[in-house]
Amino acid sequence: MNILDISIIVVYLSLIFLMGLYMRRYVNDFSDFMIAGRNINLSLSVVTMLGTELGLVTVMYTAQTGVKGLFASFHIGLAAFLVTLVIGVTGFVIVKLRALEVKSIPEYYQLRFGKKVRILGAMLLVLGGILNMGLFLKVGAIFIQTIFGFESASTLTVIMFILIVLVLIYTMSGGMISVIVTDYIQYVILSVGLLSAVFFSIYELGWINLFFLLESVELAESRDIYNPIDSMGPYYISWQVILGFVSAVIWPTAITRALSIKSVKMVQYQYIWSSISFLIRFIIPCFLGICAFIYFNGNVGSNALALMPKYLSNILPIGLLGIVVAGMLAAFMSTHDSYLLCWSTIITNDIIEPLSNNKMSSKKKIMLTRLIIFVLGIYVFYWGMFYKGTDAIWDYLGITGAIYFTGAISVVVLGLYWSKASSTGAILALLGGLSSILGLEPIRLSLGINIANPAIIGLLSLGFSLSLMIIGSLIFPDKNNKFMKVSSKCKKIEKNQDNILKKYYLIESLIVVILISSYVSYIFEISGLVTWKFSWQVLFIVTIILFVLMFIRFTYGGFKDLKKILVNNIGK
């Protein structure tokens, strides 16, 4: 790597690091530390959600998915976009949770089902969450090792150690306000970097030519590189829809943004815009993975994860490579501080404090949370060195996260919308989610489970948890059912909500779009013009246009929101 690129990386990361330490002065209490005082406006909320979700780990595992699944993998981004859009339009789950003014999902558990469910739910959330982020550090280190051309295996451990030290110092200092500041800066830099990488890829390979080259490389293969139904199957696609819902609503790092936003009215708008974020975060890195596959003529080798950074180091010019790598590393720090902050604050707020039966002061909570962040950092370093599974990173993330979310989906959704949901049913559903751990490759192999696709185990676990929730609630109803109390609080807030469906005639518009799309698709199908290939080409172009428009729309607005938060906090 050129000295100019290295200088850009060092200077940029130094500034980000120092800024994170400086943000310590804006933390006045635990609410500031955990959810930034619930004072985030729409533009900044959308920007920081994309900033967190478009981290280095996301870029790496999505590119790996593109290398392995090629254009058929685009369906994952499409599923996430559609699910998040529907949630934003309808307000499903998110409006009620924000109206209850809880800081986390486990806090909602206590409000609806009692303290036992809160503590159990928080424990399973943390178990699934820390397993989920266990490979983040190793993935980031592989990126650095590849982009800088370090060949020695021992350098991976050294890089991991340096990275975790930087992340721990940064995260333990500023809390959520530090996360928001870095997410904003990362969003700007990484947006420019990724868009540049896409344009250079198209310039290098040629838009029409890259499809021709891909089809030439894959000529000998029997798989369909465009059709996800044939190449991946209905179980895998169904699992991606579930993961799309989880990523937007159930996963703590995402729902924290909804719970941190300034008012209930903004939540739906946040999710409508964020649906584009979920589309961008998958389609763009996936496309770069496909380009890497084409560039190296399909010679993936033993490490598909390293192919994309190797590709970027070959095609990006001096200076731009430094900016992209700096953005990626800032993204790495941003993702880690978001996750470490999320799990540590949940341990403090939803496990330790309820078990202690005493109200803890903000100062004590922050001190305890920082200690937990340090312990989690040691775990992440250890797990990254010793875990030996060979599943794709995306499959690993899905199945480890399922330990928490297969039970949480039933408890959250039925708890909000079904009056008969009981605490016993909730406990059974949460425990049922533990069955997802059977999907981890080392456990599958040790138990002799002959199911190669972990998505099947995830779907079975979800069905099992849902059944336990329903059966447990019907057989063991709560004597003191808190549904009406929770429901009435939500209704008071919902009366003042903007009815987005009516305001923008979205139902009528959606029906018209579906009818027109069905007719156009039918005409094109007859003439043989509509293919999966054509659909993915259109989706990719639309994604790029939306990415540019979002960047223009929210960069300045996010800066104003960020400035307002800092001014308000320094004045406290």
Side-chain angles (χ1 to χ4, degrees), residues 46 49-50 273-282 550:
V46 171
M49 183 175 280
L50 179 56
W273 279 106
S274 292
S275 65
I276 303 172
S277 302
F278 282 98
L279 181 68
I280 291 166
R281 79 158 188 161
F282 203 94
M550 272 194 72

Side-chain angles (χ1 to χ4, degrees), residues 362-536:
S362 284
K363 186 177 180 180
K364 190 173 181 180
K365 278 186 178 181
I366 292 173
M367 184 176 66
L368 185 58
T369 300
R370 285 173 173 151
L371 176 62
I372 294 167
I373 288 170
F374 179 75
V375 174
L376 291 178
I378 295 173
Y379 151 77
V380 170
F381 180 73
Y382 172 84
W383 189 261
M385 286 198 298
F386 294 106
Y387 180 78
K388 301 299 180 186
T390 59
D391 277 336
I393 300 297
W394 177 240
D395 292 334
Y396 170 86
L397 295 178
I399 209 66
T400 50
I403 294 169
Y404 152 67
F405 71 67
T406 47
I409 288 175
S410 304
V411 178
V412 171
V413 175
L414 294 185
L416 287 170
Y417 294 96
W418 187 38
S419 61
K420 293 183 179 180
S422 74
S423 55
T424 303
I427 289 171
L428 291 174
L430 290 170
L431 292 174
L434 281 170
S435 59
S436 297
I437 204 168
L438 297 173
L440 272 178
E441 184 190 29
I443 295 177
R444 292 201 314 265
L445 295 176
S446 64
L447 296 177
I449 299 173
N450 192 25
I451 300 176
N453 186 357
I456 295 174
I457 294 176
L459 290 170
L460 289 172
S461 179
L462 178 62
F464 180 56
S465 297
L466 183 60
S467 300
L468 288 175
M469 179 71 183
I470 294 171
I471 293 169
S473 296
L474 292 175
I475 296 176
F476 303 103
D478 285 336
K479 292 181 180 179
N480 181 24
N481 194 312
K482 299 180 181 180
F483 177 80
M484 292 308 297
K485 181 181 177 181
V486 171
S487 182
S488 61
K489 187 172 182 179
C490 291
K491 283 178 181 177
K492 287 179 183 177
I493 301 293
E494 287 169 345
K495 283 180 181 179
N496 299 320
Q497 272 294 99
D498 288 343
N499 191 327
I500 294 179
L501 294 176
K502 290 181 179 179
K503 189 172 182 179
Y504 296 109
Y505 303 99
L506 284 179
I507 289 181
E508 294 87 343
S509 301
L510 190 61
I511 292 171
V512 172
V513 169
I514 290 171
L515 290 174
I516 293 173
S517 301
S518 302
Y519 176 74
V520 172
S521 298
Y522 176 72
I523 296 299
F524 280 0
E525 191 174 2
I526 291 174
S527 59
L529 293 177
V530 165
T531 60
W532 283 106
K533 176 181 175 180
F534 175 76
S535 300
W536 299 138

Side-chain angles (χ1 to χ4, degrees), residues 242-255:
I242 299 297
L243 291 179
F245 176 77
V246 168
S247 297
V249 174
I250 303 296
W251 201 242
T253 51
I255 195 63

Side-chain angles (χ1 to χ4, degrees), residues 182-200:
T182 16
D183 279 352
Y184 174 78
I185 298 170
Q186 171 206 325
Y187 160 80
V188 175
I189 300 297
L190 203 54
S191 294
V192 173
L194 285 177
L195 286 170
S196 300
V198 167
F199 292 135
F200 268 95

